[in-house]
Amino acid sequence: MIHFIKNWFDKIKEINRKYSTPRIKMTRAVKIALFMLRLYLIILVLILVYKFLITSKMVG
Amino acid sequence: MKFSSHLYYEYRRVKKAILLYLLLAGPGIIVMVADNDAGGITTYAATGAKYGYGLIWFLVLLGPIAYFIQEMTVRLGAVTKRGHAEAIFDAFGPFWGWFSFIDLTIVNWLTLVTEFIGMTAALGIFGVPPYITVIGVSVIMGIMVLQGRYWTWEKITLIFCGLNLVYIPTAFLVHPSVSQVIGQGIIPHFPGGFTNELFFFLMANIGTTIAPWMLFFQQSSVVDKGMREKDIPWGKFDTLVGSLFTVFVAIFVIIVTGTVLKGMNIESAAQAAQVLMGKDKYIGTFLAIGLFDAGFLGAVCISLAGSWAFGEVFGWAHSLNHKVKEAAWFYACYFLALVTAGAVVLIPGAPLVLITLFVQVIAVTLLPAALVFLILLLNNEEIMGKYKNTLLQNIIDSTIVIAIIILSTLYGISALFSGLFGG
């Protein structure tokens, strides 16, 4: 089992190494798009956390 | 003589073109028809029951939207020979790669559960126990992929796509007034005014038009089929035919429920089929068959989209042209997703409503990212060469992507905070 998990971690490390340098040229447009995407996901996570908290409060 | 030889030449040319299309047809039609999955049919059935024919014009608009998004995956797949998951890893690095991959795996699995919910509910109308449905579907889907050829899998799936046309005879059985369908359905208007509830229905219809798995599925499918750059025009035509197909099916579902169930609040397509069964057993039966087929096609495509993504990212053999022993992990992923999703539906008291709700919420975390990556990749000259987006394509695609992101996000939020838009 430990061997199996270790193999998986090694595989993930190998994938991270393989793709460590993004191929796409980081132009201004790409940087802005990725920044907006991060912002969008953060806001979405905050909404989900808020929903979770008010639901827990109601159940409690 | 000259005329007849010209006619014969034209006949041969058209025949050759049709044969070539039949050879290359597949990914576009399959993804578009599968887009009308169990959730999609439920949305259309509920829309028809609520607003009659009043929103048919809106569904017509969704056809081009789906086409413009999906044709980008054809170009990207044919040029890079990579699936969407691998393309994201390669272009944007491990952070966005893992984010998309893990999100896709979760969304796909949850959506797969909803397809099983649809299929078991549809066959439940005929008295088939859920476990028989789950086992039967898993066996059929297993046979479809294990025969070892992409081409055979694709043609079998196209037969199931044809079954989706069952809604057309069903619509004729309900004897709709053609003048009313045209009069109320074609001219853009908001039946009953632009209310919160109507806005919710519009968002739900947009939400079912583009799902994250569709991008991943079609691109991987194009790669597995072995389409090359010269096949792009045919791939685009295939996608166009598929988008027309999907709009037709959606319109006919609306005509059925808009004629017979107008004014009713429909929670699911299975409920609509059940009610219709009481009115006319043929109409109810056809609707139930259509729902089962929709769920089946959705399950076929979603489970494959996930397995292809696993294969691409982990570097395993991941083609339907491989035998089981050559691509064991690829097929293992396929069956694992299928069996676990099917098993969830069989668990007594499983939170199926919560799962359905969760799909909408999780999908909005992945869809914007997948769409933005698609646009960025299609604008990269180094990757796309002469197939990169033109200015006109960028204007159209970016407008569609921004609209989809806004509306699908609002739809996801409305699923979290029910009543926000009257849904």
Side-chain angles (χ1 to χ4, degrees):
Chain A
M1 187 65 184
I2 291 169
H3 181 69
F4 180 78
I5 294 168
K6 193 185 170 299
N7 273 353
W8 272 90
F9 271 106
D10 288 345
K11 187 75 196 169
I12 289 167
K13 274 186 201 164
E14 186 193 318
I15 293 165
N16 288 345
R17 254 197 313 274
K18 184 179 172 189
Y19 298 111
S20 59
T21 315
R23 189 177 162 194
I24 206 157
K25 205 183 279 175
M26 285 293 158
T27 60
R28 207 167 159 195
V30 174
K31 278 181 185 166
I32 291 171
L34 293 181
F35 172 75
M36 296 295 278
L37 205 56
R38 278 199 175 93
L39 205 65
Y40 170 85
L41 289 169
I42 290 167
I43 292 170
L44 215 59
V45 169
L46 288 176
I47 292 172
L48 284 169
V49 170
Y50 172 72
K51 174 69 183 176
F52 177 75
L53 287 176
I54 57 166
T55 309
S56 318
K57 211 172 171 183
M58 277 166 69
V59 172
Chain B
M1 184 64 188
K2 198 178 169 192
F3 176 74
S4 62
S5 62
H6 179 71
L7 204 67
Y8 181 69
Y9 168 77
E10 281 302 315
Y11 162 75
R12 289 288 301 267
R13 197 173 66 86
V14 171
K15 189 182 164 190
K16 199 175 156 189
I18 291 171
L19 286 174
L20 188 62
Y21 172 65
L22 289 176
L23 210 68
L24 291 167
I29 291 184
I30 292 170
V31 77
M32 288 294 189
V33 177
D35 179 31
N36 286 342
D37 61 353
I41 298 295
T42 292
T43 307
Y44 305 138
T47 305
K50 187 79 189 171
Y51 295 104
Y53 314 134
L55 290 179
I56 286 178
W57 64 270
F58 187 71
L59 290 175
V60 174
L61 292 180
L62 297 181
I65 289 177
Y67 167 75
F68 280 110
I69 295 295
Q70 291 300 130
E71 74 84 21
M72 284 194 280
T73 66
V74 175
R75 278 187 284 147
L76 191 56
V79 172
T80 63
K81 315 283 184 293
R82 283 180 162 155
H84 203 48
E86 194 182 353
I88 293 172
F89 262 97
D90 184 49
F92 300 99
F95 172 77
W96 289 114
W98 286 116
F99 165 78
S100 303
F101 175 70
I102 294 168
D103 220 350
L104 176 80
T105 307
I106 297 168
V107 178
N108 274 4
W109 189 80
L110 290 171
T111 315
L112 202 52
V113 175
T114 66
E115 305 301 353
F116 272 106
I117 296 171
M119 285 188 282
T120 50
L123 292 192
I125 292 169
F126 305 114
V128 179
Y131 74 92
I132 297 281
T133 306
V134 170
I135 293 170
V137 164
S138 303
V139 169
I140 295 170
M141 282 176 61
I143 294 169
M144 280 170 71
V145 296
L146 291 178
Q147 41 73 33
R149 281 188 72 195
Y150 173 89
W151 196 90
T152 312
W153 169 85
E154 188 182 83
K155 299 312 165 202
I156 296 170
T157 310
L158 282 172
I159 294 170
F160 282 103
C161 289
L163 195 61
N164 217 250
L165 292 172
V166 73
Y167 293 109
I168 297 175
T170 316
F172 284 102
L173 281 176
V174 300
H175 304 296
S177 156
V178 178
S179 60
Q180 275 184 16
V181 171
I182 294 169
Q184 295 171 18
I186 301 301
I187 299 154
H189 71 291
F190 297 115
F194 195 84
T195 59
N196 281 350
E197 199 173 15
L198 179 86
F199 186 51
F200 179 82
F201 271 89
L202 296 182
M203 286 188 301
N205 279 287
I206 289 254
T208 59
T209 305
I210 293 290
W213 64 262
M214 291 171 68
L215 309 176
F216 290 82
F217 172 84
Q218 191 168 5
Q219 195 172 326
S220 297
S221 181
V222 162
V223 175
D224 205 350
K225 193 178 170 87
M227 286 175 81
R228 288 172 288 175
E229 291 170 18
K230 69 177 176 62
D231 302 321
I232 288 175
W234 285 109
K236 287 166 84 165
F237 181 65
D238 185 38
T239 310
L240 180 70
V241 172
S243 65
L244 292 173
F245 201 117
T246 195
V247 168
F248 269 120
V249 169
I251 289 173
F252 279 99
V253 175
I254 288 217
I255 290 174
V256 173
T257 57
T259 306
V260 191
L261 306 174
K262 195 176 176 197
M264 279 183 73
N265 280 324
I266 292 295
E267 298 288 325
S268 69
Q271 183 203 350
Q274 197 94 54
V275 175
L276 285 170
M277 205 67 138
K279 292 179 187 276
D280 183 315
K281 72 173 180 178
Y282 291 109
I283 300 171
T285 301
F286 282 173
L287 202 69
I289 290 171
L291 175 63
F292 172 78
D293 186 53
F296 184 83
L297 281 169
V300 166
C301 294
I302 291 162
S303 42
L304 260 180
S307 314
W308 269 322
F310 262 95
E312 289 160 15
V313 172
F314 284 93
W316 305 325
H318 55 275
S319 170
L320 286 172
N321 289 316
H322 286 123
K323 301 280 179 209
V324 180
K325 58 183 174 187
E326 295 166 341
W329 281 105
F330 168 69
Y331 289 108
C333 288
Y334 179 83
F335 282 107
L336 188 69
L338 209 59
V339 171
T340 52
V344 168
V345 183
L346 301 180
I347 297 170
L352 300 180
V353 176
L354 196 69
I355 288 171
T356 311
L357 200 77
F358 231 75
V359 171
Q360 294 158 4
V361 178
I362 304 291
V364 298
T365 63
L366 176 60
L367 188 60
L371 290 173
V372 168
F373 293 147
L374 194 61
I375 295 266
L376 292 177
L377 285 165
L378 264 291
N379 274 288
N380 192 292
E381 196 159 13
E382 192 196 331
I383 294 171
M384 293 304 297
K386 65 174 180 172
Y387 296 99
K388 71 174 243 184
N389 266 4
T390 61
L391 179 65
L392 182 66
Q393 281 172 324
N394 267 334
I395 292 169
I396 296 170
D397 294 340
S398 302
T399 309
I400 291 172
V401 164
I402 290 168
I404 288 178
I405 290 174
I406 292 171
L407 289 170
S408 65
T409 304
L410 289 174
Y411 181 53
I413 291 173
S414 70
L416 270 178
F417 302 93
S418 55
L420 194 64
F421 300 105

